[in-house]
Amino acid sequence: GAGVSQTPSNKVTEKGKYVELRCDPISGHTALYWYRQSLGQGPEFLIYFQGTGAADDSGLPNDRFFAVRPEGSVSTLKIQRTERGDSAVYLCASSLKGGTSHNEQFFGPGTRLTVL
Amino acid sequence: AQSVAQPEDQVKVAEGNPLTVKCTYSVSGNPYLFWYVQYPNRGLQFLLKYITGDNLVKGSYGFEAEFNKSQTSFHLKKPSALVSDSALYFCAVRVPTDSWGKLQFGAGTQVVVTP
């Protein structure tokens, strides 16, 4: 079966531009997470969706970052007025259930964002 | 504050020798602990997890990890390393009081297995 997919794999943009990053989770997984991985660091949590709703967005760095999951499957991470400091690999993960379950998260290959 | 530490940036071993990758944590309560591996240009792959019960956890590709509550550690081990085990390894902790399951990761340890 297909794993978590993310598009594009690479995105180069200019400072101040708007970008959208897409995540397609494993079919049937209700929980979806976004993480950001900067060079030489471990992934850092951004936002968690249970179904269509963002249950925890405490990791979003500021209001330039926003994410949606309108039908409870595909999610889009949106970044407005990009800054050079936004350059990182953005990882998406899904799990069968989120919340208090112990299900492991399955990660996509990531989108490498470079802001020039 | 919760944290997870991987004290070694890199671990280098010869093929066939035992491999240990260290992880310590600081979490209130009983943590859920995970190990993931990351190959170049690929996503993180789940290796194993500790939730409760037996302190020795066995996972994928011959890896195992031992939960030590008194030392707040969860070291990853493999009795005989392969060149193909060369990758970036991440320890992660899930805070038990967190209702949403987000993971907090260490900075990663680069494992190099030489032929």
Side-chain angles (χ1 to χ4, degrees):
Chain A
V4 178
S5 62
Q6 293 186 246
T7 55
S9 55
N10 281 283
K11 177 69 177 179
V12 180
T13 191
E14 294 179 343
K15 180 176 177 296
K17 299 290 187 181
Y18 168 83
V19 296
E20 288 189 353
L21 311 179
R22 176 190 168 108
C23 171
D24 202 337
I26 293 172
S27 178
H29 281 195
T30 61
L32 186 147
Y33 302 80
W34 283 98
Y35 293 83
R36 179 168 71 174
Q37 186 175 15
S38 299
L39 194 62
Q41 297 182 24
E44 295 179 318
F45 169 79
L46 295 176
I47 187 169
Y48 159 66
F49 285 89
Q50 181 59 44
T52 60
D56 183 356
D57 63 359
S58 61
L60 294 178
N62 50 60
D63 61 5
R64 295 186 297 106
F65 287 75
F66 188 71
V68 296
R69 194 186 185 198
E71 298 179 355
S73 55
V74 171
S75 176
T76 304
L77 178 65
K78 308 180 180 191
I79 311 175
Q80 299 177 322
R81 306 183 303 280
T82 52
E83 299 178 357
R84 292 193 181 88
D86 299 335
S87 296
V89 176
Y90 289 81
L91 297 169
C92 177
S94 71
S95 68
L96 189 59
K97 295 180 182 178
T100 56
S101 80
H102 308 141
N103 298 136
E104 56 268 27
Q105 296 175 24
F106 294 86
F107 283 79
T111 293
R112 183 176 298 279
L113 175 66
T114 304
V115 182
L116 301 176
Chain B
Q2 294 77 231
S3 66
V4 57
Q6 294 181 243
E8 301 156 316
D9 292 336
Q10 184 181 87
V11 170
K12 194 171 183 180
V13 299
E15 188 172 36
N17 283 359
L19 170 65
T20 298
V21 186
K22 296 180 180 178
C23 172
T24 59
Y25 64 89
S26 175
V27 171
S28 300
N30 297 316
Y32 305 146
L33 295 155
F34 301 79
W35 276 101
Y36 283 83
V37 60
Q38 187 175 40
Y39 296 98
N41 300 316
R42 296 177 65 178
L44 280 74
Q45 295 180 29
F46 169 77
L47 283 179
L48 50 79
K49 65 182 177 183
Y50 172 81
I51 303 301
T52 187
D54 194 346
N55 289 343
L56 185 64
V57 179
K58 293 188 182 296
S60 306
Y61 312 120
F63 284 94
E64 58 188 29
E66 185 167 12
F67 172 66
N68 188 318
K69 187 172 183 177
S70 63
Q71 297 185 2
T72 61
S73 67
F74 188 57
H75 301 332
L76 182 70
K77 300 180 180 182
K78 186 170 185 179
S80 179
L82 301 172
V83 172
S84 57
D85 293 328
S86 298
L88 188 56
Y89 290 78
F90 289 98
C91 180
V93 62
R94 178 187 155 176
V95 178
T97 54
D98 176 70
S99 300
W100 312 121
K102 60 179 177 281
L103 297 175
Q104 185 166 340
F105 287 85
T109 299
Q110 184 69 49
V111 168
V112 177
V113 182
T114 57

